[in-house]
Amino acid sequence: MKKYLFLTIFLSIGILNAQTDTRIYDIINNVSAERIKKDITKLANFGTRHTLSDTVSNTRGIGAARRWIKSEFDKISSDCKNCLNVFYQKDLVKEDGRRIVKDVMVVNVVAIQKGTKYPNRYIIMSGDIDSRVSNPNNYTSDSPGANDNASGMAGTIEAARVLSKYEFENSIIYVGLSGEEQGLFGGRGLAAYAKEKGWEIIGIMNNDMIGNIKGVDGVIDNRTFRIFSEPVPPTESERQRRARRFYGGEVDGISRQLARYIHKTTKTYMPEMNPKMIYRLDRFGRGGHHRTFNDAGYAGIRIMEAHENYTQQHQDIRTENGIEYGDKIKFVNFDYAKKLTAVNAINLASIAWAPPSPKNVRIGGIVQASAKFSWDKVEGAKGYKIYWRDTTSPTWDNYQYVENVNEFTLKGIVIDNYFFGVSAVSTNGHESIVTFPSGILRN
């Protein structure tokens, strides 16, 4: 009898840990390629959205574009009984003789969906409003920026439409950031604003070009996408850096954990997709708005297409040697943009439905045959997952689920051979982002 009772409990725990939330599938199905196409077309038809372009016209320039974006967020909020707080966040950027050739007000469009339990904890999805042509200081020529980055902006608006139908424990921010092409000014301004307001930023998912499937090398791929993440925060202390030499963690910073979370959630709910983690801050020698949040000490990653086409990025509209240059609507694959928008939406929802990550995770087991852990209990967590992986593995591959404890020993697991982390799990099965140990248990 005891044998069967143990088997029943074991199977029950296995089913609990393996279950998925059917609401996530509804979110995927509710993302619309047609709405994304309509929004990309609207943004591209503003002619140019250069940071220094016209702000007075209602049909051309970045002023018209950001007013339209705000109006879309306002409509979404009206449809969900004012569930979004929509506003402009702005900073004056002075002429610098480089890419800011005249004083300009850099204006972000922010929409906040407040959480019911942790209203001061925020997970962010961003797209860039601005566009440019070959000369970064040319703010008058047509620059439709259909893929770079009307696609990311349209995806952010669409995610707000879909997720505004739900309530979440944590807050979600949907934001259009400006000034990216001129020096990441919008992201820097919002990160500083978050610091000033005392927001607890869980992380930012920066979407920059999510609509191209044909690379300049001729490769066509409508399922693979890249997740860029830096290894460790630039704000870490010298003491933390020295500790890493002895205890590990060179590839386990907060942004890398966010990247792993997105990889895992996508493979769970959208297994047809191929998330590819790229172990660097951004593309070689290039940058995106997530970097400004990293600079402020926040977790941040970049989600984008796998195969870029440089003939359509930062190009004057023209035809040379039979090649059509320019970031036009005709080159955007709206179904692919839908898929990557869904990737964002399900990760926003999963994180927003999850409890906070465990704090003060400590690890021990030096010269022992077991690995020991302790952490602060997380309010609202049903249980915890203690993860471990080979030191060369990019993903968390093994775990032990536990409940009603804030310390545990993994027997038979030698601490030297693996990396470890701990996440908190809610009653509905959603997990927090994994916390890598930051302290040592000596006893």
Side-chain angles (χ1 to χ4, degrees):
M1 186 69 178
K2 288 183 178 180
K3 178 180 179 181
Y4 292 119
L5 180 61
F6 172 79
L7 181 60
T8 300
I9 294 173
F10 179 82
L11 289 176
S12 297
I13 292 174
I15 292 170
L16 171 68
N17 292 335
Q19 73 182 16
T20 54
D21 187 338
T22 57
R23 293 175 297 179
I24 297 293
Y25 296 111
D26 293 335
I27 288 169
I28 295 169
N29 293 331
N30 286 332
V31 175
S32 167
E34 282 303 312
R35 288 195 298 261
I36 291 171
K37 177 180 180 180
K38 182 179 178 181
D39 291 346
I40 291 175
T41 302
K42 180 70 175 182
L43 287 163
N45 285 342
F46 284 113
T48 178
R49 302 186 307 278
H50 192 285
T51 299
L52 303 176
S53 62
D54 193 322
T55 61
V56 177
S57 170
N58 289 321
T59 58
R60 184 178 179 84
I62 194 167
R66 66 196 182 213
R67 287 191 293 274
W68 175 79
I69 292 167
K70 185 177 184 298
S71 73
E72 288 300 301
F73 282 142
D74 285 334
K75 289 177 187 176
I76 295 167
S77 184
S78 178
D79 290 343
C80 63
K81 299 179 180 178
N82 298 317
C83 72
L84 302 182
N85 176 24
V86 184
F87 61 94
Y88 294 122
Q89 184 274 315
K90 59 184 72 175
D91 293 283
L92 178 64
V93 178
K94 293 284 191 177
E95 181 271 328
D96 63 8
R98 297 187 296 275
R99 291 196 176 186
I100 301 295
V101 296
K102 61 179 180 178
D103 293 357
V104 63
M105 191 67 74
V106 172
V107 182
N108 300 318
V109 187
V110 185
I112 301 178
Q113 185 175 354
K114 276 289 188 176
T116 58
K117 189 172 184 179
Y118 311 105
N120 199 47
R121 301 185 75 244
Y122 301 86
I123 181 67
I124 306 171
M125 179 180 179
S126 70
D128 300 322
I129 300 175
D130 55 314
S131 65
R132 57 162 283 197
V133 289
S134 301
N135 179 354
N137 294 331
N138 178 350
Y139 55 86
T140 57
S141 295
D142 282 351
S143 177
N147 188 43
D148 184 15
N149 185 31
S151 64
M153 188 66 253
T156 302
I157 296 170
E158 179 65 6
R161 289 193 188 103
V162 174
L163 297 184
S164 61
K165 308 304 181 184
Y166 300 85
E167 283 191 347
F168 300 96
E169 282 82 355
N170 298 277
S171 297
I172 301 176
I173 296 177
Y174 316 94
V175 60
L177 297 172
S178 296
E180 193 262 354
E181 302 290 4
Q182 305 311 111
L184 311 179
F185 289 103
R188 190 173 297 114
L190 186 61
Y193 185 85
K195 288 278 188 184
E196 176 188 329
K197 296 296 182 181
W199 292 353
E200 184 179 348
I201 303 297
I202 303 169
I204 182 170
M205 294 185 286
N206 173 42
N207 287 257
D208 197 344
M209 292 185 286
I210 61 170
N212 182 68
I213 65 171
K214 183 176 181 180
V216 72
D217 54 3
V219 174
I220 298 176
D221 186 344
N222 68 351
R223 295 193 176 189
T224 305
F225 66 95
R226 293 177 290 178
I227 310 168
F228 287 89
S229 63
E230 66 177 1
V232 293
T235 55
E236 71 172 359
S237 66
E238 180 61 22
R239 181 179 180 181
Q240 290 171 315
R241 188 194 69 80
R242 289 198 305 267
R244 281 195 289 104
R245 292 194 66 197
F246 295 95
Y247 307 126
E250 294 85 353
V251 293
D252 278 280
I254 53 177
S255 295
R256 190 60 49 79
Q257 303 306 344
L258 177 57
R260 291 191 178 105
Y261 189 100
I262 293 167
H263 184 280
K264 178 185 175 183
T265 305
T266 303
K267 295 307 293 182
T268 299
Y269 290 99
M270 299 177 69
E272 73 279 9
M273 297 301 288
N274 178 29
K276 186 175 182 180
M277 288 197 294
I278 307 296
Y279 274 24
R280 58 164 36 118
L281 171 64
D282 209 315
R283 298 152 304 157
F284 193 85
R286 305 175 73 181
H289 259 137
H290 61 294
R291 192 186 86 192
T292 58
F293 284 82
N294 295 161
D295 291 343
Y298 299 126
I301 56 89
R302 176 182 186 137
I303 293 176
M304 71 174 302
E305 62 208 24
H307 304 283
E308 297 178 68
N309 195 319
Y310 307 121
T311 65
Q312 295 155 24
Q313 292 179 21
H314 304 170
Q315 295 286 350
D316 293 339
I317 297 175
R318 67 194 192 280
T319 299
E320 287 183 4
N321 300 319
I323 299 174
E324 190 173 1
Y325 290 83
D327 193 354
K328 300 179 180 179
I329 298 171
K330 65 187 290 185
F331 298 125
V332 177
N333 186 289
F334 304 107
D335 287 329
Y336 181 67
K338 170 188 172 179
K339 292 175 184 177
L340 295 199
T341 297
V343 165
N344 279 269
I346 65 173
N347 278 282
L348 287 171
S350 295
I351 292 171
W353 271 323
S357 297
K359 294 182 178 179
N360 297 317
V361 176
R362 304 172 70 196
I363 185 171
I366 300 172
V367 298
Q368 296 180 33
S370 300
K372 303 175 182 179
F373 305 89
S374 71
W375 59 88
D376 294 348
K377 286 187 177 181
V378 177
E379 178 189 0
K382 177 178 176 58
Y384 306 89
K385 287 185 178 179
I386 301 170
Y387 281 98
W388 68 98
R389 70 178 200 273
D390 289 339
T391 59
T392 55
S393 174
T395 55
W396 294 112
D397 303 317
N398 313 287
Y399 71 85
Q400 170 75 54
Y401 177 76
V402 297
E403 291 184 2
N404 301 318
V405 297
N406 66 326
E407 56 183 27
F408 194 78
T409 298
L410 285 176
K411 295 182 179 180
I413 302 295
V414 178
I415 192 174
D416 300 331
N417 299 336
Y418 304 95
F419 286 138
F420 302 86
V422 181
S423 70
V425 185
S426 67
T427 54
N428 58 20
H430 290 289
E431 292 183 47
S432 71
I433 298 170
V434 170
T435 301
F436 193 78
S438 58
I440 305 298
L441 292 172
R442 296 288 182 183
N443 54 7

